[in-house]
Amino acid sequence: MQDDGGFTIGRLAAAAGVGIQTVRFYERRGLLPRPERDGTAYRRYAADHLTRLRFIKKAQHLGFSLKEIRTLLDMSAATGTTCADVKNKADRKVEEIAAKIEDLQRMKRALEELSHACDVDRRAMQRCRTLECFDDGSPCRQPEQKRKRGAP
């Protein structure tokens, strides 16, 4: 995979499980340092580049943005960074993910209500309630069911 001269960009990308364009993108964004060219005009990447690429990908899988990853990389390189500093970043990310989960659950419930409304009174509806709620700006809620005769 790596010889004494280091990785080519293709081998580095393959070892990290990313595409060549991803490596170039991270270089442009300053997340991955650009290596010097060797005598053949090819860039040679070191094992440290592979370690950094894997760090970036793992952090992305945990929901960190590229901006947040840059901060984490800076913290990793800083001598004064403590576990408490990193824990604070992780705790904030957990809170952010929890808020996103709540939003997704709210959206799911609203869509389920709209879908149920379509099932309940399909023939009586002239227009799809789901589409109406997108058009008129009203809350996307299931319409009140008609009360049966004799019901209180």
Side-chain angles (χ1 to χ4, degrees):
M1 191 177 330
Q2 177 187 14
D3 58 28
D4 293 320
F7 293 98
T8 61
I9 193 169
R11 288 187 179 204
L12 175 71
V18 300
I20 291 171
Q21 292 304 319
T22 301
V23 175
R24 290 184 177 139
F25 175 77
Y26 292 152
E27 286 178 348
R28 285 191 305 273
R29 297 293 298 258
L31 295 169
L32 188 67
R34 290 186 180 167
E36 298 298 318
R37 296 188 185 276
D38 67 10
T40 63
Y42 288 104
R43 294 186 186 271
R44 291 292 179 175
Y45 296 84
D48 288 347
H49 289 95
L50 178 59
T51 300
R52 184 164 250 208
L53 265 176
R54 288 179 174 158
F55 182 106
I56 294 166
K57 294 311 296 176
K58 286 178 185 176
Q60 280 183 314
H61 286 298
L62 291 174
F64 288 96
S65 69
L66 293 181
K67 182 179 177 184
E68 291 167 328
I69 291 169
R70 180 184 314 278
T71 300
L72 291 171
L73 286 167
D74 291 344
M75 291 173 78
S76 178
T79 56
T81 301
T82 66
C83 272
D85 297 331
V86 178
K87 181 185 182 317
N88 287 336
K89 294 281 184 200
D91 288 346
R92 273 188 259 158
K93 183 52 67 177
V94 167
E95 290 171 7
E96 181 183 309
I97 291 169
K100 284 181 183 180
I101 289 170
E102 285 179 28
D103 285 344
L104 289 170
Q105 287 173 334
R106 180 191 46 77
M107 288 186 274
K108 179 180 178 264
R109 284 190 303 272
L111 286 169
E112 286 171 341
E113 287 179 13
L114 287 169
S115 177
H116 178 70
C118 290
D119 291 339
V120 169
D121 201 6
R122 227 181 264 212
R123 290 169 295 212
M125 296 169 79
Q126 297 296 318
R127 176 143 157 70
C128 176
R129 179 65 190 123
T130 302
L131 296 177
E132 282 181 355
C133 87
F134 297 148
D135 286 343
D136 66 13
S138 64
C140 291
R141 297 228 187 277
Q142 170 179 332
E144 294 294 321
Q145 292 185 9
K146 294 178 185 176
R147 292 184 180 173
K148 294 182 182 178
R149 260 193 241 195

